[in-house]
Structure formats: structure tokens, C-alpha cells
Amino acid sequence: MKIKSLKLVYFSPTGTTKAIIQGVARGISHGAVELIDITKANARKQQLQTLENELLIVAVPVYMGRVPALLNEWLHTIKAHNTPAVCIAVYGNREYDDALLELKDTLIECGCIPIAGAAYIGEHSFSTPEMPIAEARPDASDLNHAELFGRKINEKLLSISSLDQSYDIKIPGNYPYGGITKVWSVDFIAINNNCTQCGICSEVCPVDAIDSKNSNSIDNEKCITCCACIKNCPQNARTIKDSPVKDVAIRLNKLYKERKEPVFFF
Ligand SMILES: Cc1cc2nc3c(=O)[nH]c(=O)nc-3n(C[C@H](O)[C@H](O)[C@H](O)COP(=O)(O)O)c2cc1C
Ligand code: SF4
Ligand code: SF4
């Protein structure tokens, strides 16, 4: 099967999902690549259409064992017509639970035909230097794996003459999906005096929860605890204060020290 172009869709508040999808794209090595970054709220206002001769790759982080709930509305507006698709879940070394299966099912509902799926490990959003969880992942080995996955996708496409709705790949997961989709409304960010009100935290926030003129003003009802504002602050002025988020970080740091490895499915 010959592909005319490659569309890469990703949501990546702290950059690990983006690093993985870029690694996969390097392995596929196609000339015509369109990057569709749906991290910012504004980008999720634009609908996506794809065709039979395009390859769509969608990568999301795992939030509480599921596809981040705030993406569901946008993902369901994708208009595809027998578009070959690849689903990727990136998780923080705990588990990806039913997230990859959920993403595959969503893509099918939109008219895609999933041809492959993969789960990768990224530094946990709640990881800090004092409380590391999958620190600095994806690393070189993960990115090599992502490139290999890209090459395998190429091989797969070459081996298929055409796709129809009966095509299926086996992705682990359960019905009904487990995990939690309710957004966690929690006051967990401390801001110290090093803040220069540069506005970067407000710019990187995927749900516009931070006042652009006052970085101390956070709408906890909107916040999805993604930690993009903390990890992108050039002054290291934002930290995780004593809160349920810190309690979870302490638990994850203790329980998930053992390195997990990426997997792919065809
Ligand atoms: C609200 C929330 C829930 C999360 N739930 C899980 C989870 O269930 N399992 C897991 O291993 N990692 C979980 N993570 C960690 C992220 O999946 C992981 O850090 C991912 O690499 C973040 O992607 P990004 O760098 O593209 O933002 C969670 C992170 C957040 C913010
Ligand atoms: S990114 Fe850091 S320094 Fe800049 S406004 Fe936000 S908290 Fe302040
Ligand atoms: S305010 Fe909340 S949602 Fe916005 S970047 Fe910070 S942690 Fe993420």
C-alpha cells in the first residue's frame, strides 16, 4: 500500500509523547509529514480530515489508565475514510491499562483502520528531581525502539495491498474500560518569589487555566494536573506542594522503580 502523506497528531503537555511520535516518524521516513499538535486549547478547535492514502498516527499520554478525557470531544470529530492509522499511548512507568484500546476504538469510530499500536514510557508528569518517576524517559533506547516501530509500520504498509473494515489488530485492554475519566480538581502548585511573571506557564497550559497577567492565579476547576507549567518554568518557580498530587508522586516513586519497556502490536 502506498501512502501519500503522514499526519502526526499528538497531545503532549510535558513533551514525552511528542518525542516518541517524532521518533516513530523518523523510522517511517516519509517526505510529506504534517505535525498536528493538539496540546493547546486553540488547536483543538480545528477539525481533522484524512483520506485513504494518508497514514494517521495519533499519540496521547495515559491519564489514570485512560485517554485524557479532555481529548475525547476533539478525537471524535476526526473525519476519516478507511484511513490507515497507528495508535500510541505514552505512560509514566505505572501502566497504560485500557488507554491504548480506547484510542484504537475511537479511531475506528472515526472511520480509521488501525494497522498498529504501541505503548511507550515517558517521564511521569509528577516526577521531580527529589521524587523521580521514569526520570528522563524516553531515553536513547526508547527512541531507537520508536524508530524501529516506524520501520515496521513501513514494512506492514508494503505488505498490505488494500485495507477494509474487517482488518483488525490485537491491543490489550478490557471492556468496559477501567481507569478514571473525571478530572481531578486539586490545588497542588506552589509558586515562589523567583517568578518574573514571564507568562510562559500560561502559554504552555493546555486548558488556559493560568491567568496570563498573574501566574499565581490558577483555575483549579480547569487544571488537569499535567505539570506543563511546572516543568516549563525557566525560573523553577513552580513546585508540587503538599497535596494529593504529592502523595501520589511519593507512592509512584516507591512502587514503580522497576523499568518497564515499550511494546508494539500489529
Ligand atoms: C493526570 C495524570 C494521570 C496520569 N495517569 C497515569 C497512569 O495511569 N499510568 C501511568 O503510567 N502514567 C500516568 N501519568 C503519567 C503520564 O502518562 C506520563 O508522564 C506521560 O509521559 C506524559 O506525557 P507528556 O510528556 O506528553 O505530557 C499520568 C499523568 C497525569 C498528569
Ligand atoms: S513560567 Fe515561571 S517565571 Fe514565568 S510566569 Fe510562570 S511561574 Fe513565573
Ligand atoms: S495549570 Fe494545571 S493544566 Fe495548566 S499547565 Fe499547570 S498543571 Fe497543567
Side-chain angles (χ1 to χ4, degrees), residues 9-13 17-18 36-40 44 59-61 63 68 70-71 206 224 226:
V9 174
Y10 60 91
F11 175 79
S12 188
T17 308
K18 180 179 180 183
I36 302 156
D37 179 358
I38 56 162
T39 310
K40 290 288 298 167
R44 297 191 298 274
V60 301
Y63 279 7
L70 84 156
L71 300 181
I224 55 164
C226 72

Side-chain angles (χ1 to χ4, degrees), residues 134-150:
E135 195 180 25
R137 294 189 73 184
D139 57 16
S141 156
D142 296 315
L143 294 175
N144 279 340
H145 189 286
E147 287 190 28
L148 172 71
F149 181 46

Side-chain angles (χ1 to χ4, degrees), residues 195-201 215 233-235 237-238:
C195 172
T196 58
Q197 295 297 342
C198 69
I200 289 174
C201 51
S215 76
C233 171
Q235 306 297 332
R238 300 171 89 84

Side-chain angles (χ1 to χ4, degrees), residues 13-14 63 186 188-189 201-202 204-210 217-220 222-230 232 238:
T14 63
Y63 279 7
V186 56
F188 78 105
I189 301 169
C201 51
S202 167
V204 298
C205 177
V207 290
D208 296 335
I210 306 173
S217 170
I218 305 166
D219 184 338
N220 291 320
K222 281 189 180 174
C223 174
I224 55 164
T225 67
C226 72
C227 297
C229 58
I230 296 174
N232 282 292
R238 300 171 89 84

